[in-house]
């Protein structure tokens, strides 16, 4: 068992996930768009489609990986003690969901697609932003990824740990 607290563990995991996901997403977006003059909001290659695809894929894949790692660490007794708080709405929700990492990851991906993507596109539309330079889009997307990964990491970790490992008979 480790000597650090659960909050310290979440902080460390958040930093790791933010760095990894910002680097990967910025590298992908830069490599795909570096030769373009502008990135438009419209069309199949527009940033509206990219934001929606990224929202789903980022949180589906990140959740799948993070939850699997957290459960493996839990089984190996390498995590600090996690206390379920029945007063926390997230904990109430997570106790009702299936144990499957795949189903939970799909849920996080769909949540991001249905909440983060429309919120982001809505703000950009309200600000009348219809195009970016490749560098501006890469930097903006990095900030976007960092923000949403940072606010979701704790929930993803808690979702992984909320239910005990089912007994295999």
């Amino acid at each position: 068992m480790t000597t650090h607290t659960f909050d310290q563990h979440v902080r460390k995991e958040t930093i790791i996930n933010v760095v990894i996901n910002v680097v990967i997403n910025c590298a992908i977006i830069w490599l795909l768009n570096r030769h373009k003059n502008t990135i438009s909001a419209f069309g199949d290659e527009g940033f509206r489609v990219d934001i929606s695809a990224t929202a789903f894929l980022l949180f589906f894949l990140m959740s799948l990986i993070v939850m699997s790692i957290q459960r493996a660490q839990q089984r190996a007794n390498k995590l600090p003690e996690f206390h379920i708080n029945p007063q926390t709405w997230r904990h109430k929700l997570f106790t009702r969901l299936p144990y499957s990492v795949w189903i939970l990851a799909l849920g996080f991906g769909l949540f991001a697609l249905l909440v983060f993507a429309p919120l982001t596109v809505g703000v950009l539309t309200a600000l009348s932003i219809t195009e970016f330079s490749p560098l501006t889009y890469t930097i903006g997307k990095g900030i976007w990824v960092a923000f949403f990964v940072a606010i979701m990491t704790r929930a993803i970790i808690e979702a992984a740990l909320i239910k005990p490992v089912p007994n295999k008979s």
Side-chain angles (χ1 to χ4, degrees), residues 60-72:
F60 174 72
L61 294 172
M62 185 184 89
S63 298
L64 201 59
I65 293 166
V66 169
M67 288 189 293
S68 297
I69 290 169
Q70 299 304 309
R71 286 187 177 170

Side-chain angles (χ1 to χ4, degrees), residues 84-111:
I84 297 171
N85 181 350
Q87 303 306 315
T88 304
W89 67 269
R90 281 189 326 273
H91 292 190
K92 285 180 189 177
L93 172 66
F94 295 153
T95 58
R96 296 170 192 235
L97 296 175
Y99 178 76
S100 169
V101 170
W102 288 92
I103 293 173
L104 292 171
L106 181 61
F108 279 112
L110 289 172
F111 176 81

Side-chain angles (χ1 to χ4, degrees), residues 18 20 24 30 38 46 59 61 70 77 85 98 111-112 114-116 118 131 147-148 153 166:
V18 165
I20 289 170
I24 290 171
W30 179 250
T38 61
F59 285 96
L61 294 172
Q70 299 304 309
N77 290 322
N85 181 350
F111 176 81
L114 298 173
V115 176
F116 299 155
E131 63 183 34
F147 177 76
F148 285 116
T153 300

